[in-house]
Amino acid sequence: MSTTVIAEIPGHELPSEERVNYLTVDHSVKSWLLTHDHKRIALLYLISITLMFFVGGFFAVLMRLNLIEPTGLVAPETYNKLFSMHGIIMVFFFLVPSIPATLGNFLVPMMIGARDLAFPRINLLSWYIYIVGAAFTMYAVISGGVDTGWTFYTPYSSTFSHSQVIPAAVGVFVTGFSSILTGLNFIVTIHKMRAPGLTWFRLPLFIWAMYATSVIFILGTPVIAITLFLLGLERLLHIGIFDPAIGGDPILFQHMFWFYSHPAVYIMILPGMGVMSELITAFSRKRIFGYTFVAFSSLAIAVISFLVWGHHMFVTGQSVYAGLIFSVLSFMVAIPSAIKVFNWTATLYKGSISYEAPMLYALGFIGLFTMGGLTGLFLASLATDVHLNGTYFIVAHFHYIMVGGAVMAYLGGLHFWWPKITGRLYPDGWARFAALVIFVGFNLTFFPQFVLGYLGMPRRYAVYPGEFQVLNVMSSAGASILGVGYIIPLVYFIWSFKYGPIAGPNPWGAKGLEWTTPSPPPTENFEEVPIVTEQAYNYAGTSESAHG
Amino acid sequence: MAGLLRIFSLYMTGLIQFGLENIASAAAWIPLHPPTASSIAQNVDLLYYFLTALTLFFTALIFGIIFFFMVKFRRRSPDEIPADTKTHLSLELTWTIIPTLITFVIFVWASVLYVRNSRPPESSMEMFVVGKQWMWHIQHPEGVREINEMHVPVGVPVKLTMTSEDVIHDFYIPAFRVKKDVMPGRYSSIWFQPTETGTFHLFCAQYCGTDHSEMIGWVYVMSPTDYAAWLAGGTKNESMAQMGGRLFSQLGCAACHTSDSSGRGPSLAGIYGTTQKMRDGNSKTVDEALIRQAIVNPNSITLPNYPPIMPTFQGQVNEEQVLQLIAYVKSLEPEERTTSSK
Amino acid sequence: MADMATHNAHHAQHDAFQHQFEDMEQQRDAGTFGMWVFLAQEIMFFGGIFAAYIVYRALFHDSFEIGSNLLNVKFGAANTVVLIASSLTMALAIHAAQAGKKGKTQVMYLLLTVLLGVIFLAVKFTFEWTADYHEHLIPGFGFIIRPEWGAAGSHVPMFFSFYFFMTGLHALHMIVGIPIILIIAVMAWRNKFDEVYHAPLEMVGLYWHFVDIVWIFLFPLLYLVGGRYLSNGGH
């Protein structure tokens, strides 16, 4: 039986601008703000998240400007607020929702052959909750800022800080529920609404990644919610839960905080890994090497991620035994990621590789993520972590993964699916140029920070000893290049909405149910429910039984 | 194929060799690592270099293979569809097991170092650190106090007992590769043995508020004779134990804690280091933490023969004074003790 | 495979049908599964605060004992019975729908559930919490540490912080749940639920049972650890 999908019958197909699609079906503001369509909600998220990215990025620019001078350029109080708000916005309002709420929302139903997610109204609610949370946080920003770091450590945040801790904590608390609802929607949708013939092991790996991410959303986010709730109560009513002066335990806060925040970093990278599997296969036109291994690696990462939070606390005075346990588990969590990197690389072998922008981002991801991940080994190692904790080494490590990894995967995915989402092509020449600028700028920004960390420069320093200046200036120079690199796609993406060439249903010749629909798709995605008879990424057209 | 692999591996070897050879000269104009000034620093550096080499190797390997594939398997025609390749379970297992083994090696190496470094030598010289926003107060047992500076003799292990007056700080000496959080309400400790004289950075490495980046200082490592001279010089100081003794009288502790067992409170002579049984049957070692607890929250310690009537001194003494009182208690020689000793 | 037109026609009769699903069975399946996933999240939410409670109970054993003994076990126990009864009436409402009983039966049981829930909240707020307020046992609102508590007194406020936070969070879940049950009751009054379609009833039932189970953990942890029901006051 052949796959029953939208037939691209030459001559019978309407040009995109004449066909009604999810963008053109209704132009009223109300139809956007009250939409149930997962694709429109994805775009609503895209706009909000892009806005938050540039706000957080703006703070980063100010930070790097300050760090050009060892004596600083802004007041320390200001700098402390800058890095706190940069962290809070980037982590909670950009990285955590980025791929799931934009690409995930858009693609999950399409990749499984469904008309929408299981709970479209809850999907819309999740966006409004995000907006409310963002509003609280923006209020915190404009009403004086918050200076506790995104980690809100007590007793500084509960008793000593004079900044807008509660509005910021409320903002993060509220936005957490946006993640929870998104995760809930994805889990139910993936379990219950796959098209006929789409068994678990025929799913695109992006779906596996979304699933694993959603498990972490559901199980992890409530813990940060309760932690921040307690922090707010402590700050307001001095109940004494985290303040040692009244009997509380500040380390308990750290345990509770990191119990979510470590899995959270896997929320931030797993979706990017899912995008990677899609990009590598599409641009080498090959089946993924080791599908089962990659799929189970996503699940393994999600599970083990809950067991390693203590590696953020090696120098807090926790017992040596606790340190050993968290250390060995932290090494274990690295293995599934390594497996994925090897499988992606092997997928390229004897492929037919092209170098459009999405692929450049994908290849950049693999290298930078490898480096970021390997530097994690320095931190999982107890003896070196003692020296490196709290320094710029940590900053470099997580930026390699979050920016060199997650953001590049996000950009790669945006470029890849842009024609599907908008029905337009972006200018690939500019896109490749921007990818290169981002790659160079990124490395110049963050590689010197590894060195700074080992030299001993602590993080969150507004001023620093003069001998660190050369490396700091290099880093700030890189940041300026990186900033330019991010603005270029903003410009041509917006440009492409109106002036980009019209895209066909499948400009890349990629496999996947989403590519069998018109670009942009109609509101209902598929006119007929597709039936799936082959495994994912079956470029070579082999039957399933031919594979081990 | 074999030929290509040979060329590739020769290329990689050459690259790594070139890189390593040039690190030394690069180090001249951009500092690459801090001074190596403690007994553990070199060992930590060794592990660090190994991890760096591993990182560079695998990054170069992956980047190299990708670059190689990108060129060799570039798309030659727009409709090209390559043949399928079979999944090799043996390959999957290989690149699962080898990284696992490598990480196991790293884990063991790092853990052994860490455990070894976690126990201060018996003969350690003690010093006391109180962090507060935004400065370090350092007390030598002999009584000398320093702010944001710490003088120590070279070649002698030093054990620091640390606490905070307010928020969490972190005591970090990059040159010694030591770091530990300094927390309010409890003691933490680290030790180091300087191996070179010189002046080294001291940083606060846990964000603690406005002037976190100003909470820095210097560690001066001196030869033993210079250190002894420095210690003795300046105004005559009371030792910590002496200052503690003064406080002990001033605050009225001596009224109940008489040196025989006749007072309303237990005699403290020789009590440091012993194990005491609590009313609920559990035993506790009388260490710095317990003595501090006895001062700030006395009735949380339930001794079988004494009613919970000791008043709390929280708020009446700061953390430095607590440390002085502890030094005093430690200095009290045991008389006849009937409870079990350490 | 059916195309959109026949697909819609096939399901046109059930006006609760949502278009993203293939059929009512998938819709019901997805709804109940979704509620289970939501409850998993709730378990982690309450789990976090339970974990913190356990830590401080271990650290301040005596203070927590004193605090627990100050709670009114009679009211707590009565409330436990009330809440369990409300789970029973909820289950009976669902059973009524499954058995095809008329809407009025379902409504009766649902309203009984609401009534019992309101009784629970009334006992809690007007009897227990008001008394606690007058006895100065609410941290942040004029808490007074009593001398007879002795050395352990300084951490009794911690116990009460946990007590009010945990029971308050639980009560909040009930306050959210009661209007939802009322909405479902209105739907039941309009005979929307029968043996074929009663998924919303099931989902609300799941939620309500969860709220009940949380209380079944809260009650012993908060009210009974004082051990005062034992002759020597427990450990």
Side-chain angles (χ1 to χ4, degrees):
Chain A
M1 217 198 307
S2 61
T3 317
T4 313
V5 292
I6 300 292
E8 286 302 325
I9 308 168
H12 288 250
E13 182 196 320
L14 290 172
S16 309
E17 61 261 31
E18 290 181 31
R19 180 173 34 219
V20 170
N21 58 59
Y22 82 100
L23 289 169
T24 58
V25 67
D26 188 336
H27 287 289
S28 67
V29 172
K30 186 170 159 205
S31 73
W32 276 94
L33 294 180
L34 293 180
T35 182
H36 291 174
D37 184 358
H38 66 101
K39 300 181 289 299
R40 286 193 164 201
I41 295 172
L43 280 184
L44 291 174
Y45 266 112
L46 179 64
I47 296 168
S48 343
I49 284 169
T50 306
L51 204 66
M52 296 305 266
F53 176 74
F54 281 101
V55 173
F58 172 65
F59 290 137
V61 166
L62 294 178
M63 284 165 67
R64 286 289 0 145
L65 273 175
N66 176 81
L67 290 170
I68 292 176
E69 264 311 308
T71 47
L73 290 174
V74 302
E77 294 88 350
T78 308
Y79 184 80
N80 296 338
K81 291 176 181 172
L82 287 176
F83 75 70
S84 302
M85 297 185 302
H86 168 72
I88 291 172
I89 291 174
M90 285 309 206
V91 168
F92 294 111
F93 294 94
F94 173 66
L95 283 166
V96 163
S98 59
I99 294 178
T102 55
L103 297 174
N105 263 330
F106 196 93
L107 294 167
V108 167
M110 298 196 70
M111 283 183 167
I112 64 173
R115 280 181 290 283
D116 207 312
L117 290 173
F119 309 118
R121 289 170 294 186
I122 289 183
N123 199 12
L124 183 67
L125 178 66
S126 80
W127 181 71
Y128 277 107
I129 292 176
Y130 174 88
I131 295 297
V132 169
F136 270 102
T137 306
M138 287 296 105
Y139 168 73
V141 168
I142 60 180
S143 66
V146 59
D147 73 346
T148 57
W150 80 277
T151 47
F152 291 107
Y153 272 15
T154 58
Y156 182 70
S157 62
S158 59
T159 318
F160 289 82
S161 171
H162 297 295
S163 63
Q164 298 285 47
V165 178
I166 291 186
V170 170
V172 175
F173 175 85
V174 168
T175 301
F177 290 101
S178 169
S179 309
I180 289 172
L181 293 179
T182 300
L184 192 155
N185 234 333
F186 284 173
I187 289 179
V188 177
T189 306
I190 296 171
H191 267 277
K192 299 290 180 186
M193 294 171 69
R194 284 167 284 124
L198 189 50
T199 58
W200 279 92
F201 290 100
R202 287 178 176 173
L203 282 168
L205 287 165
F206 181 76
I207 300 290
W208 278 97
M210 286 295 110
Y211 184 79
T213 308
S214 300
V215 169
I216 308 179
F217 273 143
I218 293 292
L219 297 180
T221 319
V223 180
I224 189 78
I226 205 85
T227 307
L228 292 174
F229 203 148
L230 286 172
L231 177 65
L233 283 181
E234 172 85 336
R235 202 167 155 82
L236 273 177
L237 301 174
H238 305 288
I239 55 178
I241 184 172
F242 297 132
D243 184 357
I246 33 182
D249 186 357
I251 307 300
L252 179 65
F253 176 85
Q254 292 186 29
H255 280 292
M256 291 179 76
F257 176 83
W258 285 114
F259 186 83
Y260 163 74
S261 298
H262 187 80
V265 315
Y266 292 99
I267 287 177
M268 297 186 247
I269 198 62
L270 273 171
M273 291 173 156
V275 171
M276 286 303 298
S277 296
E278 303 300 313
L279 297 182
I280 295 284
T281 50
F283 289 93
S284 57
R285 290 206 176 142
K286 277 196 68 226
R287 219 166 49 87
I288 192 89
F289 195 92
Y291 175 98
T292 322
F293 274 82
V294 178
F296 279 122
S297 291
S298 298
L299 292 181
I301 291 173
V303 169
I304 305 177
S305 74
F306 277 97
L307 305 176
V308 300
W309 78 90
H311 67 222
H312 298 272
M313 299 166 60
F314 281 152
V315 294
T316 58
Q318 63 185 16
S319 81
V320 169
Y321 302 109
L324 289 171
I325 294 173
F326 281 120
S327 173
V328 74
L329 285 165
S330 302
F331 280 106
M332 278 170 59
V333 81
I335 303 295
S337 297
I339 292 175
K340 288 196 183 202
V341 167
F342 296 135
N343 276 300
W344 290 321
T345 310
T347 303
L348 297 171
Y349 179 67
K350 287 197 174 160
S352 168
I353 305 177
S354 65
Y355 308 118
E356 288 91 336
M359 188 55 156
L360 294 182
Y361 280 111
L363 297 172
F365 175 103
I366 298 182
L368 297 178
F369 172 75
T370 300
M371 203 160 140
L374 287 170
T375 54
L377 296 181
F378 290 73
L379 305 171
S381 302
L382 289 159
T384 40
D385 184 75
V386 169
H387 177 63
L388 296 169
N389 193 52
T391 68
Y392 261 87
F393 194 94
I394 307 261
V395 177
H397 160 72
F398 66 69
H399 280 94
Y400 259 78
I401 306 203
M402 291 300 126
V403 181
V407 176
M408 290 193 74
Y410 177 65
L411 287 174
L414 269 186
H415 283 78
F416 182 53
W417 283 294
W418 192 259
K420 180 58 57 187
I421 295 172
T422 60
R424 302 280 179 157
L425 297 170
Y426 59 83
D428 201 64
W430 276 104
R432 296 190 209 190
F433 174 68
L436 202 61
V437 170
I438 289 175
F439 185 82
V440 168
F442 169 81
N443 278 297
L444 192 56
T445 309
F446 291 106
F447 190 84
Q449 294 184 5
F450 281 124
V451 183
L452 277 172
Y454 202 67
L455 285 173
M457 178 173 170
R459 58 189 288 206
R460 296 173 165 176
Y461 264 32
V463 302
Y464 56 85
E467 72 244 41
F468 298 138
Q469 183 173 22
V470 171
L471 290 163
N472 268 293
V473 169
M474 278 173 68
S475 179
S476 296
S480 62
I481 299 173
L482 187 61
V484 167
Y486 285 136
I487 291 178
I488 300 176
L490 184 70
V491 171
Y492 62 66
F493 274 147
I494 295 177
W495 173 90
S496 76
F497 261 119
K498 204 137 191 290
Y499 303 109
I502 308 283
N506 194 353
W508 314 111
K511 288 276 178 185
L513 288 175
E514 75 270 27
W515 298 107
T516 62
T517 65
S519 301
T523 304
E524 296 287 294
N525 297 340
F526 302 94
E527 277 191 26
E528 298 170 21
V529 175
I531 299 179
V532 176
T533 55
E534 54 181 19
Q535 77 267 224
Y537 322 113
N538 192 11
Y539 289 92
T542 35
S543 69
E544 216 157 27
S545 54
H547 300 289
Chain B
M1 192 60 211
L4 271 170
L5 273 173
R6 262 202 93 223
I7 297 173
F8 179 67
S9 50
L10 279 171
Y11 164 70
M12 290 306 302
T13 321
L15 203 66
I16 292 172
Q17 231 175 318
F18 175 77
L20 286 174
E21 276 165 21
N22 282 282
I23 279 179
S25 54
W29 54 277
I30 287 184
L32 279 183
H33 69 85
T36 313
S38 81
S39 55
I40 67 167
Q42 243 180 347
N43 285 328
V44 173
D45 280 352
L46 206 62
L47 176 59
Y48 177 76
Y49 292 142
F50 172 74
L51 290 171
T52 305
L54 194 76
T55 304
L56 288 176
F57 171 74
F58 275 105
T59 306
L61 181 74
I62 298 288
F63 259 132
I65 292 179
I66 289 178
F67 186 69
F68 176 67
F69 285 174
M70 273 171 74
V71 170
K72 175 151 179 163
F73 301 117
R74 66 191 179 281
R75 189 170 300 169
R76 285 168 171 83
S77 69
D79 299 321
E80 187 185 26
I81 302 278
D84 224 349
T85 45
K86 284 183 70 102
T87 305
H88 286 278
L89 185 62
S90 50
L91 194 55
E92 294 280 357
L93 289 175
T94 307
W95 65 44
T96 304
I97 292 175
I98 291 186
T100 308
L101 290 173
I102 295 177
T103 54
F104 183 70
V105 165
I106 302 171
F107 167 70
V108 170
W109 182 353
S111 304
V112 165
L113 256 181
Y114 176 75
V115 171
R116 227 188 277 152
N117 294 344
S118 67
R119 278 185 238 117
E122 286 287 319
S123 55
S124 296
M125 187 179 112
E126 283 204 78
M127 285 172 62
F128 301 91
V129 176
V130 175
K132 59 193 288 257
Q133 286 174 325
W134 287 277
M135 63 185 82
W136 295 105
H137 285 187
I138 290 144
Q139 288 197 70
H140 296 251
E142 296 83 354
V144 179
R145 291 150 93 173
E146 313 188 61
I147 297 184
N148 292 337
E149 292 184 346
M150 190 167 72
H151 287 76
V152 287
V154 72
V156 176
V158 176
K159 175 184 162 193
L160 301 180
T161 301
M162 311 184 286
T163 185
S164 164
E165 288 276 8
D166 38 46
V167 298
I168 301 180
H169 301 278
D170 188 287
F171 195 80
Y172 178 37
I173 306 173
F176 298 166
R177 314 289 187 275
V178 292
K179 172 191 285 117
K180 200 63 161 278
D181 274 3
V182 174
M183 284 158 294
R186 70 181 71 186
Y187 290 133
S188 57
S189 85
I190 54 170
W191 75 275
F192 54 80
Q193 180 170 325
T195 51
E196 297 191 2
T197 54
T199 307
F200 307 105
H201 279 298
L202 160 64
F203 293 129
C204 174
Q206 184 66 260
Y207 174 67
C208 53
T210 308
D211 282 329
H212 167 60
S213 27
E214 309 267 28
M215 196 165 160
I216 68 177
W218 297 103
V219 176
Y220 299 100
V221 182
M222 319 169 90
S223 72
T225 34
D226 286 344
Y227 175 73
W230 172 84
L231 208 55
T235 52
K236 199 78 188 92
N237 292 301
E238 288 180 297
S239 70
M240 278 177 74
Q242 285 169 327
M243 291 193 270
R246 245 190 321 108
L247 281 167
F248 197 78
S249 308
Q250 274 170 9
L251 294 166
C253 317
C256 295
H257 293 286
T258 54
S259 51
D260 52 29
S261 314
S262 69
R264 265 168 293 172
S267 164
L268 301 179
I271 202 173
Y272 177 77
T274 62
T275 315
Q276 300 291 326
K277 231 179 162 64
M278 301 289 118
R279 193 175 300 151
D280 58 11
N282 291 329
S283 295
K284 289 207 171 133
T285 312
V286 182
D287 56 9
E288 282 87 349
L290 193 71
I291 300 177
R292 179 182 181 281
Q293 194 181 341
I295 296 171
V296 302
N297 192 5
N299 299 314
S300 60
I301 302 171
T302 52
L303 290 172
N305 301 323
Y306 295 95
I309 54 170
M310 175 174 163
T312 171
F313 288 85
Q314 184 164 31
Q316 292 180 52
V317 286
N318 63 31
E319 295 294 342
E320 289 169 77
Q321 290 171 318
V322 170
L323 286 166
Q324 287 159 10
L325 284 165
I326 292 174
Y328 171 69
V329 170
K330 279 161 86 167
S331 73
L332 294 175
E333 288 298 317
E335 301 188 3
E336 359 83 274
R337 300 290 310 159
T338 47
T339 44
S340 50
S341 53
K342 71 172 164 191
Chain C
M1 260 300 136
D3 65 18
M4 275 305 293
T6 41
H7 162 96
N8 280 337
H10 185 247
H11 299 289
Q13 72 238 30
H14 221 300
D15 47 19
F17 179 69
Q18 291 176 36
H19 76 288
Q20 68 268 21
F21 296 110
E22 290 306 304
D23 50 42
M24 289 303 293
E25 189 193 327
Q26 191 189 47
Q27 179 172 320
R28 181 183 144 271
D29 235 1
T32 28
F33 184 60
M35 180 51 78
W36 280 109
V37 173
F38 179 71
L39 294 182
Q41 175 272 136
E42 289 277 33
I43 290 174
M44 295 306 288
F45 195 56
F46 277 96
I49 189 69
F50 272 85
Y53 174 86
I54 290 170
V55 168
Y56 284 117
R57 160 119 175 76
L59 279 175
F60 304 128
H61 181 269
D62 292 338
S63 309
F64 274 46
E65 218 174 277
I66 292 171
S68 174
N69 282 332
L70 286 164
L71 296 178
N72 194 321
V73 174
K74 292 199 192 73
F75 281 142
N79 259 352
T80 308
V81 172
V82 164
L83 205 52
I84 293 178
S86 77
S87 263
L88 172 65
T89 50
M90 173 63 80
L92 286 171
I94 298 172
H95 176 74
Q98 285 170 335
K101 299 256 173 62
K102 286 208 302 200
K104 286 208 177 66
T105 319
Q106 304 161 23
V107 173
M108 177 188 75
Y109 283 123
L110 287 172
L111 289 180
L112 266 176
T113 308
V114 169
L115 176 67
L116 290 165
V118 170
I119 291 174
F120 179 96
L121 290 171
V123 168
K124 174 166 294 304
F125 293 140
T126 62
F127 292 121
E128 294 189 84
W129 285 25
T130 315
D132 290 333
Y133 177 72
H134 288 305
E135 289 171 31
H136 303 283
L137 290 174
I138 305 188
F141 295 93
F143 194 100
I144 293 178
I145 296 180
R146 302 176 193 172
E148 62 261 32
W149 295 339
S154 57
H155 293 121
V156 174
M158 174 86 78
F159 171 83
F160 278 98
S161 297
F162 275 99
Y163 169 74
F164 286 109
F165 183 60
M166 291 165 89
T167 56
L169 192 63
H170 174 261
L172 184 67
H173 280 75
M174 289 184 67
I175 293 173
V176 167
I178 286 172
I180 295 178
I181 297 177
L182 287 172
I183 294 173
I184 298 290
V186 167
M187 288 168 71
W189 177 262
R190 295 192 187 145
N191 288 308
K192 289 259 196 279
F193 304 126
D194 53 27
E195 62 269 22
V196 168
Y197 172 69
H198 50 268
L201 257 179
E202 280 181 344
M203 286 164 60
V204 170
L206 271 175
Y207 175 78
W208 195 254
H209 293 319
F210 173 76
V211 169
D212 188 11
I213 290 177
V214 171
W215 178 257
I216 290 173
F217 278 88
L218 280 182
F219 174 64
L221 270 183
L222 292 170
Y223 287 80
L224 300 181
V225 289
R228 65 148 170 220
Y229 48 89
L230 294 176
S231 54
N232 62 348
H235 174 55

